[in-house]
Every structure is written in structure tokens, then in C-alpha cells.
Amino acid sequence: MNSKLTIIFVLALYFISCKTEGDQPEASSILLFNGKIWTGDDNQPWASWIHIEGERIVEIGGDEDDVPEETNEIDLQGRLTVPGFNDSHVHFQSAGALLLGINLLDVNDPVGLISEVKGATERLPEGSWITRGDWGAYEAWGVGSDGSSRENTIFTPHRSMIDSITTDHPVLINRYDRTEGLANGLALKELGIESETGILTGEVFLDALKQVPEKSFERRVAESRRALAECRKYGVTTVQDMSALDQVDVYNAIRADGDLTCRINFAPSRLIEFSNMAEKDWIISRDEYGNATTAGDDWISFGTIKSHIDGIMGARTARFFQPYSDNILENANWRGGWREFSEDMPNFKKMILATDSADIQLRIHAIGDQANSILLDILDTLEIINGPKDRRFRLVHAQVIAPEDFSRFEGRNIIAEVQPYHVTDDMRWMEERIGYERCKGAYAFKTLEDYGCILSFGSDWPGTNASYYPINPLMGLYAAVTRQTINGEPEEGWFPEQKIDLEKALKAYTWGGAFGAFEEERKGVIEVGKLGDITVLDTDLFNTEPDEWLDANVDFTIVGGKVVYDRLQQE
Ligand SMILES: [Zn+2]
């Protein structure tokens, strides 16, 4: 095979297999009536019934229109109904692993540890390893973002706490900072390590991690099935996934069983392939790749490559023009795991150019103001070299924008792939990190919108080893509209001039995601011809206070005309 085409073939093979393997079960037809339906379509924003045949919407009507005859029907009983939520940024593989495995972020005592470990043993078949966990994270967070006194307050577990409940499962879990692990008796035996406490540190811990057997394909499928259940529960009908490329095999397996209940827009981030590509001057031409932006089909699609240009705020690895306010020595280096790659700007730029030349959409992580600014410079260059086109350049996070850069968004259909819930989570220490002035450009959803930037909302589920970001879109809507913590702080909202209204927020969580992924022809609004992806809520967001949204439920999730979640049936 011509090495130049390797990546294209790899991707093409995945999508050929997507198309040939079993399809989702055919939905026949369904009528949803007596609803308060927010369509997201500016020409007909409200409706009261929707008729879906097969996977697509065939008719929509208001109170004044005759409701069609249909045997399969759901009485919405006046409930608010919206286009299915499109979460434009998730890490599906990690989310599934956390849900089926163990999440110890908020655990900092023996009682919590025992109960979580017990839960994991009940979910996982005998012999499966229980790994990760990240205990003590929230405790560390509570102590202070600089981490000064963490070590004193994070509890140290002991294998005796879990040995008796884990006789069938080897356990190797770790503290939030991943410098210390706890192994149970069974794991120690399998690893050939002697330890009375089970606490492993340094080289011993790192070696132990390397010895943990790789997850079986079945386990990975089970994890993703667990994550799909979470999507159904929260009315998410499309996720845009940043998992590693081999996750597509998992999706194909679930799809072959007819159980894929959420559409996947896949954004692999393969820096290795790309740095090789750039090094070897692999420039993919449009003809060779075809219409990259719409590869795949309605269920599994592909159109973007994800990359990074800086790090994150929490670790002070985000790139700013000026030093961090609480540490004047740090802003001068590109840091983090991707340092090597992004330090090499010529190579990075080559990769960008190759991708853009092939009509593959770019989706690049940028947090600091300088990182965002450099990406706008790169966009300028692309427009000069490859000419103007509908490229929908995506800034992933677009977290802090320098005041002079906002006007550069005008008229360019730039997509801000933002996670409103981050606002509520980060605001506690943003000002300490970067100061009041720079915070004016942080999560500046209103200003970005005003300059014509397209907001595409998502969650970044499941988050990091410092915080769990739930997939629940209602939390994102709450954050965008209030800019408050879930406890309602501060009273007016954090930089309240950046609040957006509910309708705009809903649009960013539905149409924005679809448009951002070149999928607005298929989904994103409730309109004749679009896929029948619909979410029914038990709470009318338009007539309730945002704090009530946090407890609201999804009653029905419908994907392609098929009810995949019915809350009352579940209970
Ligand atoms: Zn992410």
C-alpha cells in the first residue's frame, strides 16, 4: 500500500465496515401529540405534534392543524419537547470505563471506598480488574487549587478495607494524582508483589500498572453499553467522541447487535499519525479523500481531526500572552503531554495545512488567550493558502479570548466547541489564576455569539482526575443561562454580561452541534425531512427557574423514531 494513503485506508475500512454490518432495527412510525414542542426551526419555532415514519420526520403541526391517524402514538401531555441533545465533546471510552468500573473522585474515607469498591465488584464479572478511581480528588480540590496542603488531608486506604469484599476481583486503584496506588490481596498475588498495606508507590506502582492485563474487547463493549445507557437517560441523541480510533470497532459491534441508541460523530485524535504525516509531507488532496466532511452515515460519521495547541488551566499548562497571575514564572513554555508536538510549530502547521487541504475539518483544543490567538493566525494563513471555503474551523474550549481577538470571529463561521458546565466548575479559581481583566474574555459565550461565532455545546464527559463533568445537558443549559455554581453562587452570576438566554443555549446544544459537525442537513432541529431524534422533558424550562432544571428529568428519548428511553417504564 502506498504509505501516503495509510490513514485514508484505515479510516475508509472503518466506514466500509460501518455500512455493511447490521443496521438499527427499523422504526415503523410514531406520532407524538399534545406537546409543547420547541423545534429550533426559526420558521416554525413551536409545534404540538410530530409524525415520524421510518427514521425521519414526515409531518409537523400546531394546534390548528389536523393530527394524523396513527396507531403508535405518545400523548406528550403538554410536556416540553426539543430536538435530541447533541453533545459536541465527550470522551466516550473513558466515560464508560468510569461508569462500569470505579469512580472515587469524591471518596476520601474508608466507608466511601468500601461502598464504591463493592459496587464495582457487583457490576464486573469475576476475574475482571478494578482499576483507576482517583480517590481524594474533590478533597484536594477543596483544600486549594495550588495544592499546598493536599498531602495532609487525603486519606490513605489499606488493603484490609477491601480484601474481604474483593476475593474475585484483582484491584489496583489509585489516588487522584496517580502517584500512589492501592492493590488488594488478589492483585498483589497476581503481580507477585508483597505488601502488608497494599499501598504501592514510585517504581513499584508504575511497574504494577504496566502488568495489569489489557481490557478485553467484551469489557470495552460492556463499558460503552453502560455509557450509552447514560446518554439515553439524559436525552442525548448524538455524541461527538474524542476516543481513540479503535473505539469505532466497539461501536460497530454494538451496532451489529442493533443496540446503538445514540449517533456517533467521531473525532479521532491521532497525533502520531499526523506528526508522521507532516514529517513526510503527506498532503492529502481533495480528490484522494473525497468528501471527507460527510464520511460515514447517519449513525457513525467522521469528519474532523482533533488536535491540541496548549494544555489546561488546572495544571497551568494553558498558553497565555502574559504570565499567570498567581505564578509569574509560568506562561513561557508549551507544556503538558503534547508539549513535544505543539512546540514544533512548523510541523504542527504542516499538519494543519495537510488536513485543511484534504477538506477535513480541524478541531483544535485551545484554552489560553495566546493559544486561541495563534489558532486565529493559523486560520488566516489557511484562508490565504487554500482560499476561503466553508471550513467551520473549530476552537475546542475557546476558553479565554483576548479582547482584541473577538472581532476576528466576524463572518467566518468559526465554531466554539464549548462546555458551559466548565464555567460553574472553574469560576472558583479563575480569577486567582488569571486575574479579573482576563476573566472578562473567559467563557465569553455572549460576546462570541455577538461576533457571529457558532456556539456548539457539550460536556467534556467524564472530565479529568480533578472533576467529573456530567453528560446531563440540563446542567450545561443551567450554567450557560445563570453562570452560577449549582449552589446558586454568585447571586448575579459570574461575569453576568456573558449570560445567554435559554433559547440560544438550547440551540447551541442541538443545532449548534449539528452545524459544527456539518450535519445540519440531517439533524439539530425538528423539521420535516430531519432524523426523528427527539427529547421529551418533564419540566417546562421556559416557565421554570433555572435551579429547577437541575432536578428535571428526561421522560422520553427517541432516536430515529424509536423510543430508546421511557423513564416511567424504567422505574
Ligand atoms: Zn475533552
Side-chain angles (χ1 to χ4, degrees):
M1 187 189 293
N2 181 343
S3 61
K4 178 177 171 184
L5 295 175
T6 304
I7 190 167
I8 303 170
F9 275 108
V10 169
L11 292 168
L13 284 175
Y14 275 115
F15 289 107
I16 288 163
S17 58
C18 295
K19 281 188 168 153
T20 51
E21 277 177 36
D23 257 344
Q24 295 307 108
E26 269 301 294
S28 47
S29 62
I30 188 168
L31 175 77
L32 311 175
F33 70 100
N34 189 23
K36 181 179 177 183
I37 301 167
W38 181 82
T39 65
D41 173 6
D42 295 337
N43 299 316
Q44 186 187 355
W46 294 96
S48 64
W49 56 266
I50 309 166
H51 193 201
I52 304 169
E53 271 178 22
E55 279 206 54
R56 292 186 185 268
I57 298 167
V58 290
E59 279 175 289
I60 296 167
D63 290 330
E64 66 287 353
D65 301 308
D66 289 338
V67 183
E69 289 283 324
E70 175 62 62
T71 44
N72 183 19
E73 53 181 33
I74 293 177
D75 182 351
L76 296 170
Q77 298 167 341
R79 283 173 287 193
L80 179 65
T81 299
V82 298
F85 292 117
N86 186 327
D87 189 320
S88 68
H89 188 118
V90 304
H91 300 264
F92 207 82
Q93 217 166 40
S94 319
L98 210 62
L99 291 168
L100 191 71
I102 194 162
N103 177 356
L104 301 173
L105 289 169
D106 61 351
V107 165
N108 200 41
D109 59 36
V111 177
L113 178 77
I114 292 164
S115 124
E116 290 301 324
V117 169
K118 198 160 186 312
T121 61
E122 285 158 9
R123 284 188 294 272
L124 292 167
E126 282 181 20
S128 295
W129 281 75
I130 298 171
T131 55
R132 296 292 275 269
D134 298 322
W135 78 75
Y138 284 0
E139 193 68 16
W141 193 251
V143 169
S145 52
D146 63 353
S148 50
S149 53
R150 284 174 189 177
E151 262 59 48
N152 303 328
T153 55
I154 305 304
F155 96 125
T156 299
H158 193 286
R159 56 179 270 211
S160 63
M161 295 169 190
I162 56 167
D163 266 350
S164 64
I165 55 167
T166 54
T167 48
D168 298 323
H169 297 83
V171 177
L172 181 60
I173 49 181
N174 55 255
R175 194 166 69 172
Y176 75 95
D177 61 0
R178 298 176 185 169
T179 62
E180 177 181 303
L182 174 72
N184 70 345
L186 195 55
L188 290 170
K189 204 169 133 205
E190 291 199 17
L191 297 167
I193 300 172
E194 302 240 336
S195 165
E196 210 221 288
T197 60
I199 290 292
L200 310 180
T201 54
E203 285 298 310
V204 179
F205 177 50
L206 295 178
D207 282 344
L209 281 179
K210 282 184 209 142
Q211 283 189 63
V212 173
E214 230 177 77
K215 274 181 196 168
S216 67
F217 187 69
E218 289 69 33
R219 165 102 178 241
R220 289 175 46 210
V221 168
E223 289 174 349
S224 285
R225 284 178 175 276
R226 183 64 193 76
L228 281 170
E230 198 81 348
C231 295
R232 292 193 290 273
K233 181 177 173 189
Y234 291 112
V236 175
T237 58
T238 293
V239 291
Q240 304 187 32
D241 183 20
M242 317 292 141
S243 299
L245 197 58
D246 62 1
Q247 173 69 8
V248 179
D249 295 334
V250 172
Y251 292 135
N252 279 333
I254 295 174
R255 185 179 189 181
D257 290 340
D259 292 336
L260 193 60
T261 52
C262 181
R263 301 180 195 279
I264 312 292
N265 181 263
F266 202 65
S269 107
R270 299 288 285 188
L271 295 185
I272 296 163
E273 271 98 329
F274 276 116
S275 60
N276 287 340
M277 195 168 103
E279 234 166 57
K280 293 174 185 163
D281 269 341
W282 289 351
I283 307 295
I284 304 171
S285 79
R286 282 176 208 201
D287 289 340
E288 282 168 333
Y289 199 86
N291 188 1
T293 51
T294 55
D297 61 20
D298 289 341
W299 283 94
I300 304 175
S301 56
F302 162 82
T304 69
I305 289 297
K306 191 196 170 203
S307 187
H308 292 85
I309 196 167
D310 70 343
I312 55 172
M313 290 294 298
R316 290 199 193 75
T317 52
R319 175 79 179 192
F320 285 91
F321 285 111
Q322 300 299 322
Y324 283 86
S325 306
D326 58 349
N327 186 338
I328 55 160
L329 296 177
E330 296 202 52
N331 86 309
N333 295 306
W334 300 93
R335 299 168 71 95
W338 40 83
R339 179 199 317 200
E340 245 174 82
F341 188 79
S342 48
E343 248 176 10
D344 186 353
M345 284 307 278
N347 237 5
F348 182 77
K349 284 180 182 162
K350 259 191 201 169
M351 179 278 279
I352 301 275
L353 184 61
T355 308
D356 187 71
S357 303
D359 275 353
I360 299 176
Q361 186 188 20
L362 282 155
R363 169 179 220 153
I364 306 170
H365 164 120
I367 301 262
D369 57 7
Q370 191 179 20
N372 280 288
S373 196
I374 287 174
L375 286 185
L376 292 168
D377 295 344
I378 288 174
L379 177 59
D380 294 344
T381 310
L382 291 177
E383 284 176 350
I384 292 165
I385 296 177
N386 284 340
K389 62 178 175 179
D390 186 8
R391 44 170 65 76
R392 305 188 196 178
F393 193 73
R394 290 175 82 121
L395 300 181
V396 179
H397 308 308
Q399 213 168 84
V400 185
I401 308 292
E404 61 276 15
D405 278 336
F406 282 109
S407 60
R408 300 174 73 189
F409 284 82
E410 250 171 319
R412 302 172 92 176
N413 266 355
I414 295 173
I415 314 294
E417 182 179 318
V418 287
Q419 298 77 29
Y421 184 73
H422 285 189
V423 184
T424 65
D425 206 63
D426 288 355
M427 69 169 78
R428 290 170 284 176
W429 44 272
M430 281 293 280
E431 281 183 66
E432 170 195 324
R433 285 279 157 92
I434 60 169
Y436 178 82
E437 274 308 309
R438 281 186 287 187
C439 282
K440 287 181 184 167
Y443 313 97
F445 304 148
K446 176 75 168 58
T447 309
L448 284 167
E449 249 259 325
D450 288 347
Y451 279 103
C453 178
I454 310 293
L455 297 177
S456 171
F457 278 177
S459 62
D460 209 359
W461 186 46
T464 64
N465 60 342
S467 22
Y468 183 78
Y469 299 139
I471 192 171
N472 183 1
L474 295 172
M475 298 185 83
L477 295 174
Y478 167 87
V481 170
T482 67
R483 294 178 74 90
Q484 290 174 327
T485 66
I486 52 174
N487 301 319
E489 302 282 332
E491 206 175 323
E492 295 304 314
W494 189 71
F495 293 85
E497 62 279 12
Q498 294 297 342
K499 288 181 193 172
I500 59 172
D501 65 32
L502 173 62
E503 207 153 357
K504 288 209 163 106
L506 270 174
K507 197 150 194 157
Y509 240 124
T510 53
W511 178 84
F515 182 84
F518 286 92
E519 293 193 316
E520 77 279 13
E521 298 293 326
R522 301 177 188 180
K523 57 176 95 153
V525 296
I526 295 173
E527 189 182 42
V528 171
K530 296 283 191 295
L531 291 164
D533 298 353
I534 288 161
T535 296
V536 181
L537 300 163
D538 73 347
T539 301
D540 181 357
L541 308 182
F542 287 90
N543 281 303
T544 44
E545 291 301 317
D547 60 343
E548 293 173 56
W549 308 349
L550 296 171
D551 299 317
N553 296 296
V554 167
D555 276 353
F556 292 101
T557 303
I558 297 165
V559 185
K562 191 180 162 221
V563 176
V564 298
Y565 177 79
D566 175 346
R567 186 170 65 93
L568 298 173
Q569 293 287 326
Q570 310 276 323
E571 283 172 350

